[in-house]
Amino acid sequence: DNTNSDLLHMTNLLLRLSLDRFDKGRIYTFIGEVVVSVNPYKNLNIYGRDMIEQYKGRELYERPPHLFAIADAAYKAMKRRSKDTCIVISGKEHTTYTCAVFSSFLLICTRVKNVLLKSNCVLEAFGNAKTNRNDNSSRFGKYMDINFDFKGDPIGGHINNYLLEKSRVIVQQPGERSFHSFYQLLQGGSDQILRSLHLQKNFSAYNYIRAGGQLKCSINDGAEFKAVADAMKVIGFKPEEVQTVYKILAAILHLGNLKFSVDGDTPVIENGKVVSVIADLLSTKSDMVEKALLFRTVATGRDVIDKQHTEQEATYGRDAFAKAIYERLFCWIVSHINDIIEVKNYDTTIHGKNTVIGVLDIYGFEIFDNNSFEQFCINYCNEKLQQLFIQLVLKQEQEEYQREGIPWNHIDYFNNQIIVDLVEQQHKGIIAILDDACMNVGKVTDEMFLEALNKKLGKHAHFSSRKLCATDKILEFDRDFRIKHYAGDVIYSVTGFIDKNKDTLFQDFKRLMYNSSNPVLKMMWPDGKLSITEVTKRPLTAATLFKNSMIALVDNLASKEPYYVRCIKPNEKKSSQLFDEERCRHQVEYLGLLENVRVRRAGFAYRQTYEKFLHRYKMVSEFTWPNHDLSSDKEAVKKLIECCGFQHDVAYGKTKIFIRTPRTLFILEDLYAKMLVRIVLFLQKVWRGTLARLRYKRTRAALTIIKYYRRYKVKSYIREVTRRFHNVRSMRDYGKHVKWPSPPKVLCRFEEALQAIYHRWRANVLIKSIPPEDLPQLRAKVAAMELLKGHRADIGLQRAWEGNYIASKPDNPQTTGSFILIANELKRKDKYMNVLFSCHVRKVNRFNKVEDRAIFITDRHLYKMDPMKQYKVMNTIPLYNVMSLLADLLLYYKTSRAGWATLAMSQLYRVPLNVRLGFHP
C-alpha cells in the first residue's frame, strides 16, 4: 500500500511540475515552506521591480509561488520573531542565479547600498566558469549572511567561501573553460593594460586557457571585464589593488607557458625571459623565482640544502604554485569584501538586537563519467545538506508531534546519516583513511589508499570496489570505488586523491611571495615569514578542512529557521520544451521532495509555544488582552482560538499550539495587524495627551515668569527715565542733552510716544519764550524747513527774513529809489496793502539766452519787471491765479544781501503759496 501510495504521490507531483508549471512557464512550486524551482532554460520576465512590489509584505500563499515569496517570508519571520533565518538553495546548476535573485530582493526591498549585490558580480568573475552543463557555473560554494538591525534595515554582511575548484586553473575537461577572469582580462583589457602585463589578445598563446579559448560561450567577456572593474570600484578596491589582481592573473598565464628540461643532471627553464616577466609582475627578483621553480630548500637538523627538482617535480611545483596563487587571490577578494561590508561598532544595548538572514549557494550533487576528489567533496557537502533537510523537515517534525502528544502516523523516510558517517566518521570514515594515508612516511600512492579503503570499509553496505565485487566490470581495478549516495550510485577515481588532499606547496614559493615588494601580495602569504628551520605543526589536509567547514556550516544553518529552494534540471539538452520525466523523478527522489509532500500533507504548517503565541496574538481577544486570568497560557490560547473560530484547524500539544493550514495563520496576522493599529492609536492618544499636558504646564510656567520679568523690566525703565529727567525744567536746554535709556522691547512704542510728549512739551516751553511778533516768521521758517529739507543746504534759518529785498538794499540807493517809486505807483493803482516778496532774478529762455529780471509779489498781484528799464512792469498776474512758486525763484544762495538770484531751470521745486511769507533765498 505504501508503495502504491508513493507511486501515486510521485506521479501527481511530476504531473504538477510538468503540465501545470513547466509547460506554462510557471517554474516555481510550494511544498510547505520549500520552493521547487525547475530550470526553464529561457529568460522569463518575472524578476523586475514591479514583481518585487507584488510580493513585498504579502503572506506566503497570497501570491503564486515565487522566489520573492519565500524571501519575504524569511524576512518577515526574522522581523516578527527576532530570529535568524536562512535560505538554503541546493540542487542543479541554476542555484547561482537563484541566489542572486534572493539577494536582490532582500536588499532592494530594504533599501541597502548595492555593495553586497556588486560583490556577486566580482565573485562570479573569479569563481565561475563555463562547464559542459552551464556557461556560468559556480565552481565554489558561497554562504552569505545579511545582517539587519532591529528595524529590519540591512547594516552589513559577511561571505564565506568553500572549496574553490582551483585545479581548473591548470586543466579543464573537454568542452569547458577556466575561470571567467582570465578570458575577461584578455578580451576586455585595454592595449595599455595588456602591454603593461606583457599579454596579448590571443587565448591560444597561453597553455592554461588554450583549450577553453576556442569554445563558444554566452558570456560577453569584454563587457563583463568593464562591469567587474566598475563593481570593484563601487565595493572599495583601490586602483593599485585592482592592478595587483591583473598582475596575478597575468603571472598565472605566464607560469603556464614555462618549459622545463634537464641539462645533464641540472633542471633548466628553456624560456628564461618568461621568468623575468613573472618576477616583474610579482614584484620580486627573477633569480629568486627561478630558484623556487627549480630547487626545493630542505632543512635537515641544522643543515639547509637545496634539492634539485626533476622535470616532473618542477612541473608539479609550477602548477601547484599557479593554483595556490589563484586560490589566495580569491580568498583575499572575499576577505576584502568582508572588511567593507562587515558590521562595525554595533552595540546591541544601544542599537537593539542584530538579526541575520543567511543565503547559501552551494554546488549541486552531480554524477560525471570521471568523478575526482573535488566531486567527492561536493557530493559529501550535498549529503550533509540533505541530512540537515531530513533532520529539520522530516525527522525533527515527526519527533516533535510524538513529543507533544499530537496524534500522528509515522511516515518512513531514508535517513542518510549512514552515508555521512561513511565519509566523515572519526578514524573509520573515508576522509580519516585518506588522511592516514597522507601522513604515512615514504612513497604513498593512490592505489595504496584504495587498498586501505577496501580493508576498512569492505563490509559497509554503501561502499564497493572492483576488488570487493569482482563481477562488477564497470569498476576499474586499483582505480575506482563506488559510494551508494542518497541521490544515487557514484563511481570515484582515486587518481589524484593523495596529492589533492595533501595540497602540497613548497615553502620556497610561500617565502618568495612573502618577500615580494608588493604589499598586497605580501598580505596574501603570511605563512611565508616562517624560517626554513622552524618546525611547525602539520597543516590540516584539504579534505579535513572542508569537512570541518561543512560541519560548522550545517551547525550554523541548524541554529536558524531554514527555508529551502530545491532546484531541478528538467533535461540534459538545455531545452525549454523538454521535460524528462525519468530524470526529474530521480531528482525528486534524491531531494527528498516526496517525503516532504507526505509530511506536509499530514502535518501542520505552523507551531509555536503557548507563551510566544500568546505574546503575539493576545490582543486579538478581549479575554487575553492585556493579560489573562485563566489557569495557564494553554487555556488562554484555547480561549483565544475559540473566540476566532479556528478550533477545528488546530491541535494542542503539551507546550505548543499546532496550526494546520496557513490560511488560519494569515487571518490571525490580519487581526493582529488591525488591532495593532488600534492599540498604537490608543497609545498615541494617551501619550499625546500626556505630552500636551506637560507642554501646557511648561508654557504656563514660562508665561508666568515672562509676565513678572516684563513687569520688572517696565518698572526699571520707568524708574530710570524718572531719575534722568527729574530736574529737566531747571536745565538750560530743558533736557535735550539727556540720553534716553534703552527700553525693553515691549516698551518700544511706549518710548516713542513718551519722547513725542517730551518733545512737544519742550517745544511748547521754547515757543512761549518767543515774542509774539516773531511767531509768523518762525512758522514760515518751520514750514520751509519741513518742505525743503534735503533739497537745499542753507535756507537762511539763522537770520531774519525781510521779504522785500530790493527796497531794503542800502548798497545801491539809486536802484532802490527807482523800485520804491514803481512800487508806490502800483500801490495807488492796484490798491495792494502789503509787499510779500521782491528780488532780482536771472531768466534763461529755451535758447539759453540770459536776461536780468525782477519779481515783485504783493498781496494782490505778482509782477515781472525789467530792472534795466527803471523796473518797468512787463507782466502782471493776479495772485489768485498763482497756484505755486518756483522754489529756486524764492530761495537761492545769497553771496551778498544785494546779490542776484540765478534761476536754475533744471531744478524746479513747487512750493505752496501759503509758505510765501518771509521766504529768503
Side-chain angles (χ1 to χ4, degrees), residues 826 829-837 855-864 875-882 916:
L826 291 174
K829 177 182 176 182
D830 295 333
K831 308 298 184 183
Y832 68 82
M833 299 298 295
N834 296 313
V835 177
L836 301 180
F837 185 80
I855 294 295
F856 179 48
I857 303 173
T858 68
D859 54 4
R860 298 184 63 119
H861 294 85
L862 184 149
Y863 304 96
K864 183 174 73 170
N875 194 7
T876 302
I877 302 173
L879 203 58
Y880 56 78
N881 288 338
V882 178
R916 65 189 183 278

PDB file of all heavy atoms in Angstrom, residues 826 829-837 855-864 875-882 916:
ATOM      1  N   LEU A 826       2.308 151.376  -8.193  1.00  0.00           N
ATOM      2  CA  LEU A 826       1.466 150.167  -8.289  1.00  0.00           C
ATOM      3  C   LEU A 826       0.511 150.081  -7.111  1.00  0.00           C
ATOM      4  O   LEU A 826      -0.624 149.605  -7.251  1.00  0.00           O
ATOM      5  CB  LEU A 826       2.359 148.919  -8.336  1.00  0.00           C
ATOM      6  CG  LEU A 826       3.186 148.727  -9.603  1.00  0.00           C
ATOM      7  CD1 LEU A 826       4.125 147.534  -9.459  1.00  0.00           C
ATOM      8  CD2 LEU A 826       2.267 148.530 -10.819  1.00  0.00           C
ATOM      9  N   LYS A 829      -2.306 152.293  -7.858  1.00  0.00           N
ATOM     10  CA  LYS A 829      -3.081 151.767  -8.989  1.00  0.00           C
ATOM     11  C   LYS A 829      -3.865 150.516  -8.598  1.00  0.00           C
ATOM     12  O   LYS A 829      -5.038 150.389  -8.899  1.00  0.00           O
ATOM     13  CB  LYS A 829      -2.126 151.478 -10.152  1.00  0.00           C
ATOM     14  CG  LYS A 829      -2.811 150.874 -11.355  1.00  0.00           C
ATOM     15  CD  LYS A 829      -1.784 150.562 -12.448  1.00  0.00           C
ATOM     16  CE  LYS A 829      -2.455 149.865 -13.617  1.00  0.00           C
ATOM     17  NZ  LYS A 829      -1.492 149.499 -14.662  1.00  0.00           N
ATOM     18  N   ASP A 830      -3.161 149.506  -7.994  1.00  0.00           N
ATOM     19  CA  ASP A 830      -3.784 148.193  -7.727  1.00  0.00           C
ATOM     20  C   ASP A 830      -4.316 148.059  -6.310  1.00  0.00           C
ATOM     21  O   ASP A 830      -4.880 147.031  -5.943  1.00  0.00           O
ATOM     22  CB  ASP A 830      -2.763 147.087  -7.983  1.00  0.00           C
ATOM     23  CG  ASP A 830      -2.364 147.022  -9.441  1.00  0.00           C
ATOM     24  OD1 ASP A 830      -3.178 147.416 -10.306  1.00  0.00           O
ATOM     25  OD2 ASP A 830      -1.241 146.513  -9.727  1.00  0.00           O
ATOM     26  N   LYS A 831      -4.079 149.087  -5.493  1.00  0.00           N
ATOM     27  CA  LYS A 831      -4.630 149.127  -4.144  1.00  0.00           C
ATOM     28  C   LYS A 831      -4.173 147.951  -3.279  1.00  0.00           C
ATOM     29  O   LYS A 831      -4.936 147.379  -2.501  1.00  0.00           O
ATOM     30  CB  LYS A 831      -6.171 149.115  -4.179  1.00  0.00           C
ATOM     31  CG  LYS A 831      -6.784 150.167  -5.083  1.00  0.00           C
ATOM     32  CD  LYS A 831      -6.443 151.590  -4.625  1.00  0.00           C
ATOM     33  CE  LYS A 831      -7.174 152.620  -5.537  1.00  0.00           C
ATOM     34  NZ  LYS A 831      -6.811 154.003  -5.180  1.00  0.00           N
ATOM     35  N   TYR A 832      -2.915 147.455  -3.385  1.00  0.00           N
ATOM     36  CA  TYR A 832      -2.475 146.354  -2.510  1.00  0.00           C
ATOM     37  C   TYR A 832      -2.146 146.940  -1.161  1.00  0.00           C
ATOM     38  O   TYR A 832      -1.824 148.115  -1.017  1.00  0.00           O
ATOM     39  CB  TYR A 832      -1.266 145.620  -3.110  1.00  0.00           C
ATOM     40  CG  TYR A 832      -0.004 146.405  -3.153  1.00  0.00           C
ATOM     41  CD1 TYR A 832       0.818 146.518  -2.024  1.00  0.00           C
ATOM     42  CD2 TYR A 832       0.438 147.019  -4.353  1.00  0.00           C
ATOM     43  CE1 TYR A 832       1.987 147.246  -2.084  1.00  0.00           C
ATOM     44  CE2 TYR A 832       1.605 147.740  -4.406  1.00  0.00           C
ATOM     45  CZ  TYR A 832       2.380 147.833  -3.257  1.00  0.00           C
ATOM     46  OH  TYR A 832       3.574 148.525  -3.309  1.00  0.00           O
ATOM     47  N   MET A 833      -2.137 146.074  -0.146  1.00  0.00           N
ATOM     48  CA  MET A 833      -1.917 146.500   1.213  1.00  0.00           C
ATOM     49  C   MET A 833      -0.484 146.215   1.683  1.00  0.00           C
ATOM     50  O   MET A 833       0.125 147.040   2.362  1.00  0.00           O
ATOM     51  CB  MET A 833      -2.914 145.792   2.170  1.00  0.00           C
ATOM     52  CG  MET A 833      -4.363 146.104   1.867  1.00  0.00           C
ATOM     53  SD  MET A 833      -4.759 147.853   2.052  1.00  0.00           S
ATOM     54  CE  MET A 833      -4.504 148.079   3.786  1.00  0.00           C
ATOM     55  N   ASN A 834       0.019 144.966   1.346  1.00  0.00           N
ATOM     56  CA  ASN A 834       1.323 144.541   1.848  1.00  0.00           C
ATOM     57  C   ASN A 834       2.205 144.030   0.707  1.00  0.00           C
ATOM     58  O   ASN A 834       1.723 143.433  -0.256  1.00  0.00           O
ATOM     59  CB  ASN A 834       1.193 143.426   2.896  1.00  0.00           C
ATOM     60  CG  ASN A 834       0.467 143.890   4.148  1.00  0.00           C
ATOM     61  OD1 ASN A 834       0.769 144.954   4.691  1.00  0.00           O
ATOM     62  ND2 ASN A 834      -0.502 143.105   4.585  1.00  0.00           N
ATOM     63  N   VAL A 835       3.516 144.270   0.872  1.00  0.00           N
ATOM     64  CA  VAL A 835       4.509 143.681  -0.049  1.00  0.00           C
ATOM     65  C   VAL A 835       4.958 142.355   0.563  1.00  0.00           C
ATOM     66  O   VAL A 835       5.439 142.326   1.715  1.00  0.00           O
ATOM     67  CB  VAL A 835       5.710 144.629  -0.249  1.00  0.00           C
ATOM     68  CG1 VAL A 835       6.747 143.976  -1.133  1.00  0.00           C
ATOM     69  CG2 VAL A 835       5.235 145.955  -0.846  1.00  0.00           C
ATOM     70  N   LEU A 836       4.830 141.293  -0.226  1.00  0.00           N
ATOM     71  CA  LEU A 836       5.218 139.969   0.294  1.00  0.00           C
ATOM     72  C   LEU A 836       6.669 139.631  -0.032  1.00  0.00           C
ATOM     73  O   LEU A 836       7.386 139.103   0.823  1.00  0.00           O
ATOM     74  CB  LEU A 836       4.300 138.889  -0.302  1.00  0.00           C
ATOM     75  CG  LEU A 836       2.802 139.047  -0.014  1.00  0.00           C
ATOM     76  CD1 LEU A 836       2.037 137.915  -0.661  1.00  0.00           C
ATOM     77  CD2 LEU A 836       2.553 139.120   1.480  1.00  0.00           C
ATOM     78  N   PHE A 837       7.096 139.939  -1.242  1.00  0.00           N
ATOM     79  CA  PHE A 837       8.408 139.472  -1.633  1.00  0.00           C
ATOM     80  C   PHE A 837       8.875 140.245  -2.857  1.00  0.00           C
ATOM     81  O   PHE A 837       8.074 140.607  -3.724  1.00  0.00           O
ATOM     82  CB  PHE A 837       8.367 137.985  -1.966  1.00  0.00           C
ATOM     83  CG  PHE A 837       9.710 137.392  -2.273  1.00  0.00           C
ATOM     84  CD1 PHE A 837      10.576 137.044  -1.250  1.00  0.00           C
ATOM     85  CD2 PHE A 837      10.117 137.188  -3.588  1.00  0.00           C
ATOM     86  CE1 PHE A 837      11.804 136.501  -1.554  1.00  0.00           C
ATOM     87  CE2 PHE A 837      11.346 136.649  -3.874  1.00  0.00           C
ATOM     88  CZ  PHE A 837      12.191 136.296  -2.854  1.00  0.00           C
ATOM     89  N   ILE A 855      11.306 140.212  -9.633  1.00  0.00           N
ATOM     90  CA  ILE A 855       9.995 139.673  -9.254  1.00  0.00           C
ATOM     91  C   ILE A 855       9.493 140.502  -8.079  1.00  0.00           C
ATOM     92  O   ILE A 855      10.213 140.708  -7.083  1.00  0.00           O
ATOM     93  CB  ILE A 855      10.093 138.192  -8.859  1.00  0.00           C
ATOM     94  CG1 ILE A 855      10.473 137.346 -10.066  1.00  0.00           C
ATOM     95  CG2 ILE A 855       8.780 137.678  -8.263  1.00  0.00           C
ATOM     96  CD1 ILE A 855       9.418 137.327 -11.155  1.00  0.00           C
ATOM     97  N   PHE A 856       8.251 140.935  -8.181  1.00  0.00           N
ATOM     98  CA  PHE A 856       7.640 141.737  -7.129  1.00  0.00           C
ATOM     99  C   PHE A 856       6.270 141.128  -6.834  1.00  0.00           C
ATOM    100  O   PHE A 856       5.416 141.028  -7.717  1.00  0.00           O
ATOM    101  CB  PHE A 856       7.513 143.191  -7.587  1.00  0.00           C
ATOM    102  CG  PHE A 856       6.872 144.088  -6.558  1.00  0.00           C
ATOM    103  CD1 PHE A 856       7.309 144.065  -5.224  1.00  0.00           C
ATOM    104  CD2 PHE A 856       5.829 144.959  -6.901  1.00  0.00           C
ATOM    105  CE1 PHE A 856       6.716 144.907  -4.282  1.00  0.00           C
ATOM    106  CE2 PHE A 856       5.256 145.801  -5.946  1.00  0.00           C
ATOM    107  CZ  PHE A 856       5.694 145.767  -4.625  1.00  0.00           C
ATOM    108  N   ILE A 857       6.089 140.675  -5.535  1.00  0.00           N
ATOM    109  CA  ILE A 857       4.861 139.970  -5.173  1.00  0.00           C
ATOM    110  C   ILE A 857       4.185 140.763  -4.063  1.00  0.00           C
ATOM    111  O   ILE A 857       4.815 141.087  -3.040  1.00  0.00           O
ATOM    112  CB  ILE A 857       5.152 138.543  -4.690  1.00  0.00           C
ATOM    113  CG1 ILE A 857       5.906 137.754  -5.762  1.00  0.00           C
ATOM    114  CG2 ILE A 857       3.850 137.809  -4.347  1.00  0.00           C
ATOM    115  CD1 ILE A 857       6.370 136.394  -5.306  1.00  0.00           C
ATOM    116  N   THR A 858       2.903 141.097  -4.280  1.00  0.00           N
ATOM    117  CA  THR A 858       2.097 141.767  -3.254  1.00  0.00           C
ATOM    118  C   THR A 858       0.982 140.834  -2.836  1.00  0.00           C
ATOM    119  O   THR A 858       0.893 139.708  -3.327  1.00  0.00           O
ATOM    120  CB  THR A 858       1.519 143.070  -3.815  1.00  0.00           C
ATOM    121  OG1 THR A 858       0.545 142.750  -4.816  1.00  0.00           O
ATOM    122  CG2 THR A 858       2.599 143.956  -4.395  1.00  0.00           C
ATOM    123  N   ASP A 859       0.133 141.357  -1.956  1.00  0.00           N
ATOM    124  CA  ASP A 859      -0.974 140.509  -1.516  1.00  0.00           C
ATOM    125  C   ASP A 859      -2.090 140.425  -2.543  1.00  0.00           C
ATOM    126  O   ASP A 859      -3.094 139.768  -2.325  1.00  0.00           O
ATOM    127  CB  ASP A 859      -1.542 141.008  -0.189  1.00  0.00           C
ATOM    128  CG  ASP A 859      -1.937 142.487  -0.247  1.00  0.00           C
ATOM    129  OD1 ASP A 859      -1.825 143.064  -1.350  1.00  0.00           O
ATOM    130  OD2 ASP A 859      -2.334 143.016   0.801  1.00  0.00           O
ATOM    131  N   ARG A 860      -1.892 141.121  -3.745  1.00  0.00           N
ATOM    132  CA  ARG A 860      -2.925 141.052  -4.785  1.00  0.00           C
ATOM    133  C   ARG A 860      -2.396 140.588  -6.128  1.00  0.00           C
ATOM    134  O   ARG A 860      -3.126 139.939  -6.873  1.00  0.00           O
ATOM    135  CB  ARG A 860      -3.566 142.448  -4.956  1.00  0.00           C
ATOM    136  CG  ARG A 860      -4.251 142.937  -3.718  1.00  0.00           C
ATOM    137  CD  ARG A 860      -4.920 144.239  -4.016  1.00  0.00           C
ATOM    138  NE  ARG A 860      -5.942 144.073  -5.021  1.00  0.00           N
ATOM    139  CZ  ARG A 860      -7.228 144.339  -4.804  1.00  0.00           C
ATOM    140  NH1 ARG A 860      -7.625 144.774  -3.628  1.00  0.00           N
ATOM    141  NH2 ARG A 860      -8.115 144.207  -5.751  1.00  0.00           N
ATOM    142  N   HIS A 861      -1.101 140.906  -6.445  1.00  0.00           N
ATOM    143  CA  HIS A 861      -0.566 140.571  -7.769  1.00  0.00           C
ATOM    144  C   HIS A 861       0.864 140.083  -7.672  1.00  0.00           C
ATOM    145  O   HIS A 861       1.546 140.335  -6.682  1.00  0.00           O
ATOM    146  CB  HIS A 861      -0.614 141.801  -8.717  1.00  0.00           C
ATOM    147  CG  HIS A 861      -1.995 142.234  -9.057  1.00  0.00           C
ATOM    148  ND1 HIS A 861      -2.735 143.099  -8.234  1.00  0.00           N
ATOM    149  CD2 HIS A 861      -2.794 141.943 -10.129  1.00  0.00           C
ATOM    150  CE1 HIS A 861      -3.902 143.311  -8.797  1.00  0.00           C
ATOM    151  NE2 HIS A 861      -3.980 142.623  -9.957  1.00  0.00           N
ATOM    152  N   LEU A 862       1.291 139.430  -8.771  1.00  0.00           N
ATOM    153  CA  LEU A 862       2.691 139.078  -8.978  1.00  0.00           C
ATOM    154  C   LEU A 862       3.132 139.823 -10.236  1.00  0.00           C
ATOM    155  O   LEU A 862       2.501 139.704 -11.301  1.00  0.00           O
ATOM    156  CB  LEU A 862       2.846 137.570  -9.165  1.00  0.00           C
ATOM    157  CG  LEU A 862       4.289 137.054  -9.286  1.00  0.00           C
ATOM    158  CD1 LEU A 862       4.372 135.647  -8.719  1.00  0.00           C
ATOM    159  CD2 LEU A 862       4.775 137.050 -10.740  1.00  0.00           C
ATOM    160  N   TYR A 863       4.246 140.615 -10.088  1.00  0.00           N
ATOM    161  CA  TYR A 863       4.723 141.457 -11.191  1.00  0.00           C
ATOM    162  C   TYR A 863       6.087 140.985 -11.650  1.00  0.00           C
ATOM    163  O   TYR A 863       6.943 140.655 -10.813  1.00  0.00           O
ATOM    164  CB  TYR A 863       4.838 142.923 -10.739  1.00  0.00           C
ATOM    165  CG  TYR A 863       3.553 143.493 -10.184  1.00  0.00           C
ATOM    166  CD1 TYR A 863       3.330 143.508  -8.802  1.00  0.00           C
ATOM    167  CD2 TYR A 863       2.591 144.043 -11.045  1.00  0.00           C
ATOM    168  CE1 TYR A 863       2.179 144.039  -8.281  1.00  0.00           C
ATOM    169  CE2 TYR A 863       1.422 144.586 -10.507  1.00  0.00           C
ATOM    170  CZ  TYR A 863       1.215 144.564  -9.130  1.00  0.00           C
ATOM    171  OH  TYR A 863       0.065 145.095  -8.616  1.00  0.00           O
ATOM    172  N   LYS A 864       6.246 140.918 -12.980  1.00  0.00           N
ATOM    173  CA  LYS A 864       7.572 140.697 -13.558  1.00  0.00           C
ATOM    174  C   LYS A 864       8.064 142.015 -14.103  1.00  0.00           C
ATOM    175  O   LYS A 864       7.396 142.657 -14.911  1.00  0.00           O
ATOM    176  CB  LYS A 864       7.521 139.645 -14.651  1.00  0.00           C
ATOM    177  CG  LYS A 864       8.901 139.347 -15.225  1.00  0.00           C
ATOM    178  CD  LYS A 864       8.871 138.186 -16.205  1.00  0.00           C
ATOM    179  CE  LYS A 864       8.210 138.649 -17.502  1.00  0.00           C
ATOM    180  NZ  LYS A 864       8.369 137.618 -18.562  1.00  0.00           N
ATOM    181  N   ASN A 875       4.858 142.222 -16.873  1.00  0.00           N
ATOM    182  CA  ASN A 875       3.722 141.295 -16.842  1.00  0.00           C
ATOM    183  C   ASN A 875       3.097 141.358 -15.451  1.00  0.00           C
ATOM    184  O   ASN A 875       3.802 141.451 -14.448  1.00  0.00           O
ATOM    185  CB  ASN A 875       4.175 139.862 -17.147  1.00  0.00           C
ATOM    186  CG  ASN A 875       2.992 138.943 -17.451  1.00  0.00           C
ATOM    187  OD1 ASN A 875       1.856 139.412 -17.548  1.00  0.00           O
ATOM    188  ND2 ASN A 875       3.252 137.656 -17.597  1.00  0.00           N
ATOM    189  N   THR A 876       1.781 141.303 -15.397  1.00  0.00           N
ATOM    190  CA  THR A 876       1.065 141.333 -14.123  1.00  0.00           C
ATOM    191  C   THR A 876       0.129 140.125 -14.064  1.00  0.00           C
ATOM    192  O   THR A 876      -0.641 139.896 -15.005  1.00  0.00           O
ATOM    193  CB  THR A 876       0.254 142.621 -13.978  1.00  0.00           C
ATOM    194  OG1 THR A 876       1.134 143.750 -14.083  1.00  0.00           O
ATOM    195  CG2 THR A 876      -0.473 142.655 -12.640  1.00  0.00           C
ATOM    196  N   ILE A 877       0.212 139.371 -12.944  1.00  0.00           N
ATOM    197  CA  ILE A 877      -0.629 138.162 -12.784  1.00  0.00           C
ATOM    198  C   ILE A 877      -1.372 138.313 -11.469  1.00  0.00           C
ATOM    199  O   ILE A 877      -0.732 138.505 -10.419  1.00  0.00           O
ATOM    200  CB  ILE A 877       0.206 136.883 -12.755  1.00  0.00           C
ATOM    201  CG1 ILE A 877       1.031 136.763 -14.045  1.00  0.00           C
ATOM    202  CG2 ILE A 877      -0.671 135.647 -12.575  1.00  0.00           C
ATOM    203  CD1 ILE A 877       2.019 135.615 -14.018  1.00  0.00           C
ATOM    204  N   PRO A 878      -2.690 138.226 -11.488  1.00  0.00           N
ATOM    205  CA  PRO A 878      -3.439 138.271 -10.218  1.00  0.00           C
ATOM    206  C   PRO A 878      -2.992 137.104  -9.321  1.00  0.00           C
ATOM    207  O   PRO A 878      -2.767 135.986  -9.795  1.00  0.00           O
ATOM    208  CB  PRO A 878      -4.898 138.123 -10.645  1.00  0.00           C
ATOM    209  CG  PRO A 878      -4.921 138.578 -12.075  1.00  0.00           C
ATOM    210  CD  PRO A 878      -3.599 138.183 -12.668  1.00  0.00           C
ATOM    211  N   LEU A 879      -2.909 137.364  -8.045  1.00  0.00           N
ATOM    212  CA  LEU A 879      -2.357 136.358  -7.125  1.00  0.00           C
ATOM    213  C   LEU A 879      -3.270 135.147  -6.995  1.00  0.00           C
ATOM    214  O   LEU A 879      -2.799 134.038  -6.744  1.00  0.00           O
ATOM    215  CB  LEU A 879      -2.123 137.003  -5.762  1.00  0.00           C
ATOM    216  CG  LEU A 879      -1.069 136.303  -4.879  1.00  0.00           C
ATOM    217  CD1 LEU A 879       0.261 136.244  -5.612  1.00  0.00           C
ATOM    218  CD2 LEU A 879      -0.907 137.054  -3.566  1.00  0.00           C
ATOM    219  N   TYR A 880      -4.592 135.341  -7.190  1.00  0.00           N
ATOM    220  CA  TYR A 880      -5.475 134.185  -7.060  1.00  0.00           C
ATOM    221  C   TYR A 880      -5.297 133.215  -8.228  1.00  0.00           C
ATOM    222  O   TYR A 880      -5.775 132.097  -8.184  1.00  0.00           O
ATOM    223  CB  TYR A 880      -6.945 134.629  -6.947  1.00  0.00           C
ATOM    224  CG  TYR A 880      -7.435 135.502  -8.079  1.00  0.00           C
ATOM    225  CD1 TYR A 880      -7.791 134.953  -9.321  1.00  0.00           C
ATOM    226  CD2 TYR A 880      -7.547 136.890  -7.918  1.00  0.00           C
ATOM    227  CE1 TYR A 880      -8.218 135.783 -10.346  1.00  0.00           C
ATOM    228  CE2 TYR A 880      -7.983 137.709  -8.940  1.00  0.00           C
ATOM    229  CZ  TYR A 880      -8.326 137.137 -10.159  1.00  0.00           C
ATOM    230  OH  TYR A 880      -8.772 137.926 -11.190  1.00  0.00           O
ATOM    231  N   ASN A 881      -4.595 133.644  -9.331  1.00  0.00           N
ATOM    232  CA  ASN A 881      -4.293 132.726 -10.433  1.00  0.00           C
ATOM    233  C   ASN A 881      -2.987 131.961 -10.233  1.00  0.00           C
ATOM    234  O   ASN A 881      -2.657 131.053 -10.992  1.00  0.00           O
ATOM    235  CB  ASN A 881      -4.213 133.503 -11.753  1.00  0.00           C
ATOM    236  CG  ASN A 881      -5.588 133.955 -12.214  1.00  0.00           C
ATOM    237  OD1 ASN A 881      -6.603 133.391 -11.821  1.00  0.00           O
ATOM    238  ND2 ASN A 881      -5.615 135.005 -13.038  1.00  0.00           N
ATOM    239  N   VAL A 882      -2.206 132.352  -9.211  1.00  0.00           N
ATOM    240  CA  VAL A 882      -0.912 131.701  -8.983  1.00  0.00           C
ATOM    241  C   VAL A 882      -1.127 130.540  -8.007  1.00  0.00           C
ATOM    242  O   VAL A 882      -1.551 130.754  -6.864  1.00  0.00           O
ATOM    243  CB  VAL A 882       0.119 132.703  -8.424  1.00  0.00           C
ATOM    244  CG1 VAL A 882       1.430 131.991  -8.155  1.00  0.00           C
ATOM    245  CG2 VAL A 882       0.301 133.851  -9.402  1.00  0.00           C
ATOM    246  N   ARG A 916       4.655 131.533   1.321  1.00  0.00           N
ATOM    247  CA  ARG A 916       5.366 132.603   0.637  1.00  0.00           C
ATOM    248  C   ARG A 916       5.898 133.652   1.596  1.00  0.00           C
ATOM    249  O   ARG A 916       6.840 134.345   1.274  1.00  0.00           O
ATOM    250  CB  ARG A 916       4.431 133.283  -0.367  1.00  0.00           C
ATOM    251  CG  ARG A 916       3.248 134.002   0.280  1.00  0.00           C
ATOM    252  CD  ARG A 916       2.252 134.446  -0.783  1.00  0.00           C
ATOM    253  NE  ARG A 916       1.159 135.192  -0.239  1.00  0.00           N
ATOM    254  CZ  ARG A 916       0.090 134.685   0.332  1.00  0.00           C
ATOM    255  NH1 ARG A 916      -0.012 133.376   0.435  1.00  0.00           N
ATOM    256  NH2 ARG A 916      -0.877 135.449   0.792  1.00  0.00           N
TER     257      ARG A 916
END
